[in-house]
């Protein structure tokens, strides 16, 4: 019964956020619960079919700097 989705839910609760506020990025089957739980789930372009099916959208490939590219696209004002 424990997966990354449960962990994300617990983290949001402790931080006073809702899951709708959460953005999650993942690339493998063990990220499916988290991708589904987050308000915005993004599978990396090089991710597994299971991650892509669970996500709301597909991001850049994880390597070499996919998470950095994703963060710049989502929050350009922070960079």
């Amino acid at each position: 019964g424990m997966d990354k989705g449960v962990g994300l839910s617990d983290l949001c609760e402790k931080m006073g956020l809702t899951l709708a506020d959460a953005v999650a990025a993942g690339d493998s089957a063990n990220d499916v619960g988290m991708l589904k739980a987050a308000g915005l789930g993004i599978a990396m372009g090089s991710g597994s079919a299971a991650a892509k099916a669970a996500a709301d959208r597909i991001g850049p490939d994880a390597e070499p700097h996919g998470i950095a590219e994703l963060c710049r696209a989502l929050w350009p004002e922070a960079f």
Side-chain angles (χ1 to χ4, degrees), residues 8-26:
L8 179 62
S9 177
D10 288 349
L11 178 63
C12 284
E13 184 179 329
K14 286 180 175 42
M15 296 182 71
L17 302 170
T18 68
L19 281 169
D21 295 323
V23 176

Side-chain angles (χ1 to χ4, degrees), residues 21-48:
D21 295 323
V23 176
D27 64 356
S28 64
N30 70 342
D31 296 319
V32 166
M34 174 182 67
L35 294 169
K36 287 182 175 181
L40 177 59
I42 303 170
M44 302 311 289
S46 53
S48 71

Side-chain angles (χ1 to χ4, degrees), residues 65-79:
H65 307 291
I67 293 294
E69 292 173 27
L70 183 59
C71 289
R72 278 192 220 84
L74 291 172
W75 303 287
E77 68 281 358
F79 293 92

